[in-house]
Amino acid sequence: MRSFLSFVAVALASLLAVLSLAAYVVHETVLDPQRAGDVLAKAMDGSELRDEVLSRTLPGYSSLPSAYRSDVDRLADSPRVDRALSSVSVDPQGRADFSPVRRELAQSLEKGGYGELAAQVRAAQTDASMRVPQRIWGPYEEARDTAWLVATRGALASAALFLVGLLIARNRRRAVALVGAAVALSAGAAFLLLRSLPQLVEEAATGRWARWAAAVSAPDTTAVTEVLLPVAVVGAALVVVSFFVPRPRTA
């Protein structure tokens, strides 16, 4: 009975470890405010946000003739401006500095034959920062808070269950090996979960923000490895340590 309960505790701990590890990686990569520009780049497909950003980066944009505005919109949709938008960071208060977009837009306007508009953009003295609309930043913050909650609470619960599994096990040597293998496998399972994250987000969520998030929800492989590899190494080390744990005495 003790062995069975120990196995159940370790199995539950492994499941929580997978979720907490995945949530921590997402919190530190996908939901890092430094990457919020990626979501903004996708959200720029909506004309309302695009008009807000262009009004901030191009003084007088709202008063341009419709033909000029169409050309400016087309230039603003260029890959170079998209890359500049992706580099925009957002502070904890949800305010973004669009200076990189302003500079790139000026270059695009100049190359597109709108030298006067380009000079107007470069000479602009207005602040290029603006608060990200709540309809975009609100869900982003909520997702970040949820990821941190899952990561921290899940890690604590997982550690407690692993400890319970060790303490109630009849065969301590086997339990240490089981915990080590579970920790290593949890890191591997978290890696696979993160690889499929874009598809999961797209299928599980609805709304425009979900579509934007799904497009940028794949964490960088290097960042994932930096977090999960040490966890896998710790698990493997526990398996090795288990060989030095005394064997249980036989009656």
Side-chain angles (χ1 to χ4, degrees):
M1 187 64 177
R2 288 173 56 186
S3 297
F4 174 75
L5 291 176
S6 175
F7 176 80
V8 170
V10 171
L12 289 175
S14 300
L15 177 60
L16 289 173
V18 172
L19 295 177
S20 62
L21 285 171
Y24 178 75
V25 172
V26 168
H27 181 273
E28 295 299 305
T29 56
V30 175
L31 297 176
D32 186 343
Q34 298 297 320
R35 284 198 60 189
D38 292 336
V39 176
L40 291 176
K42 298 298 178 182
M44 277 282 282
D45 293 340
S47 59
E48 187 179 349
L49 178 60
R50 181 189 63 206
D51 291 349
E52 290 180 41
V53 172
L54 289 177
S55 296
R56 179 66 63 178
T57 56
L58 175 56
Y61 169 78
S62 57
S63 60
L64 288 174
S66 58
Y68 274 28
R69 286 188 62 171
S70 297
D71 288 344
V72 170
D73 291 346
R74 176 179 53 81
L75 292 171
D77 288 335
S78 68
R80 292 177 63 91
V81 175
D82 274 348
R83 285 194 293 272
L85 188 58
S86 296
S87 69
V88 170
S89 60
V90 184
D91 66 21
Q93 287 71 45
R95 195 165 188 85
D97 182 6
F98 289 96
S99 297
V101 180
R102 175 177 284 179
R103 290 192 295 269
E104 195 57 57
L105 181 60
Q107 293 183 17
S108 296
L109 287 169
E110 191 170 47
K111 292 179 181 177
Y114 294 94
E116 186 176 342
L117 277 177
Q120 182 178 335
V121 172
R122 291 194 176 98
Q125 299 297 319
T126 56
D127 186 9
S129 65
M130 62 173 277
R131 187 174 296 278
V132 179
Q134 185 63 23
R135 66 182 184 279
I136 296 173
W137 189 243
Y140 196 87
E141 280 192 309
E142 184 179 347
R144 182 171 168 79
D145 292 342
T146 300
W148 182 249
L149 185 66
V150 172
T152 53
R153 301 286 178 81
L156 289 173
S158 178
L161 284 170
F162 276 133
L163 182 60
V164 168
L166 285 173
L167 293 177
I168 66 176
R170 185 179 298 276
N171 187 327
R172 192 64 52 79
R173 181 176 190 178
R174 185 181 301 169
V176 172
L178 179 63
V179 168
V183 169
L185 290 174
S186 296
F191 179 81
L192 294 177
L193 178 62
L194 291 165
R195 288 287 299 272
S196 59
L197 189 59
Q199 292 81 6
L200 293 174
V201 171
E202 191 170 10
E203 292 174 6
T206 58
R208 288 187 304 168
W209 187 88
R211 293 196 298 272
W212 304 331
V216 299
S217 57
D220 180 70
T221 302
T222 302
V224 173
T225 303
E226 288 177 353
V227 174
L228 298 183
L229 184 58
V231 176
V233 170
V234 169
L238 283 174
V239 173
V240 173
V241 168
S242 69
F243 291 103
F244 298 93
V245 176
R247 293 179 181 273
R249 295 180 180 180
T250 56

